[in-house]
């Protein structure tokens, strides 16, 4: 019998729902982004984000059921991002999932947001194990070892800013619009790596630290402005990006070697970055590693990845009762 999972994602500024069949076939997805509103404030305003989720969630549900040509009665289980993320935003998705689960008597499956990003690689594709996952987003920078489906061992992560967060903050000081990551990506293409910047944490661990390089860029821009000098924005974007991509590629390569793994997946919003994709692809070609990267539209937040992860979590018997609560912070287990 076919398994239909309804996925719900509201951890940040996207209200998204999706129906996925048997953990691989996307039946329909709706992603309603609030970016145009938050742009005016230079970043996500949590209070506005949760209010917009409340306004949009039933509309998104109705549109999704319409598009997927399915009734909630025909759904097998409901998967929802319970954390980590903005608490007010998460709560809207969790309450919606609990309500549907209660009314329609469907199993409720809690999904960790990072597990969702990882399973973006399983949309229309079968993941091969063991694998290393590099998750790079606005809220996370994590290296995860997976021995098999839905088993996660965190081997390292950021000690301070997430990589996407540092992209966004550097973009802000360069007067680029939110979200700045894609803008830096484009701008760096016409720039040269001419600025001297510190290399982010280059030690024997699998941890990352991006606050040093972020602060170095911010200080550099302020100092140059005070001296009345022009900033070569494209060159600075390129120099910053090269340091960041360099360390992500280097530590990922070492993890693959030390864990004797031949499969790599990358996921999260920053996995959309062209230079990171190129650098990781080249490393994988040199090292004979099989690489999987989700299609661009599945890199940033969406519910297709939550429904896909939900299928594997459901198969592993992971479920929650109606006491499920949203968690702003939680370790992926
Ligand atoms: O995964 P995501 O949609 O949300 C979180 O879970 O955080 O990631 C959003 C982040 C933002 O920081 C955004 O600037 C970054 O991903 N991002 C990029 C690119 N596209 C999105 N960063 C660098 N290059 C890109 N092309
Ligand atoms: Zn995300």
């Amino acid at each position: 019998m076919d398994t239909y999972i309804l996925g719900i994602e509201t951890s940040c500024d996207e209200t998204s729902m999706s129906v996925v069949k048997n953990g691989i076939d996307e039946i329909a997805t709706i992603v309603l982004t609030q970016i145009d509103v938050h742009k005016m404030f230079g970043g996500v305003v949590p209070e506005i984000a949760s209010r917009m989720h409340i306004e949009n969630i039933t509309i998104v549900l109705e549109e999704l059921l319409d598009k997927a040509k399915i009734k909630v009665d025909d759904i097998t289980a409901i998967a929802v991002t319970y954390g980590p993320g903005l608490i007010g935003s998460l709560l809207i998705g969790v309450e919606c999932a609990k309500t549907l689960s209660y009314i329609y008597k469907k199993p409720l499956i809690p999904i960790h947001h990072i597990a969702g990003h990882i399973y973006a690689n399983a949309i229309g594709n079968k993941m091969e194990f063991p694998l290393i996952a590099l998750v790079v987003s606005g809220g996370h920078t994590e290296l995860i070892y997976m021995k098999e489906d839905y088993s996660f061992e965190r081997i390292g992560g950021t000690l301070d800013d997430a990589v996407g967060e540092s992209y966004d903050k550097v973009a802000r000081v360069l007067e680029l619009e939110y979200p700045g990551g894609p803008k830096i990506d484009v701008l760096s293409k016409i720039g040269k790596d001419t600025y001297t910047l510190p290399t982010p944490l280059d030690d024997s661990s699998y941890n990352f630290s991006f606050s040093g390089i972020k602060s170095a860029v911010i200080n550099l821009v302020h100092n140059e402005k005070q001296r009345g000098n022009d900033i070569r924005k494209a060159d600075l974007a390129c120099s910053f990006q090269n340091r960041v991509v360099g360390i992500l590629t280097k530590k990922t390569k070492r993890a693959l070697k030390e864990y004797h793994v031949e499969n790599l997946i990358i996921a999260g919003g920053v996995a959309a970055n062209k230079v990171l994709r190129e650098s990781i692809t080249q490393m994988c070609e040199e090292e004979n590693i099989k690489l999987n990267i989700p299609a661009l539209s599945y890199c940033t937040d969406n519910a297709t990845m939550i429904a896909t992860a939900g299928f594997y979590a459901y198969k592993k018997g992971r479920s929650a009762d109606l006491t499920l609560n949203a968690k702003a912070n939680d370790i992926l287990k």
Side-chain angles (χ1 to χ4, degrees), residues 113 117 137-139 164-165 167-168 179-182 185 268-270 272-273 299-301:
H113 187 69
H117 274 303
S137 75
E165 188 183 350
Y167 262 93
D168 293 340
D185 197 0
V270 185
N273 185 270
C299 284
T300 45
D301 290 349

Side-chain angles (χ1 to χ4, degrees), residues 9 11-12 14 84 113-114 117 135-140 268-269 299-302 305:
E9 158 63 41
S11 68
C12 191
E14 267 89 28
H113 187 69
I114 294 182
H117 274 303
V135 183
V136 278
S137 75
H140 312 278
C299 284
T300 45
D301 290 349
N302 65 86
M305 66 187 195

Side-chain angles (χ1 to χ4, degrees), residues 264-277:
L264 173 67
I265 60 176
I266 59 174
V270 185
N273 185 270
K274 288 196 191 60
V275 175
L276 179 64
R277 285 174 171 245

Side-chain angles (χ1 to χ4, degrees), residues 205-222:
S205 78
Y206 292 115
N207 290 326
F208 300 97
S209 168
F210 298 109
S211 74
I213 186 164
K214 172 202 71 182
S215 302
V217 174
I218 294 173
N219 290 340
L220 191 148
V221 172
H222 287 161

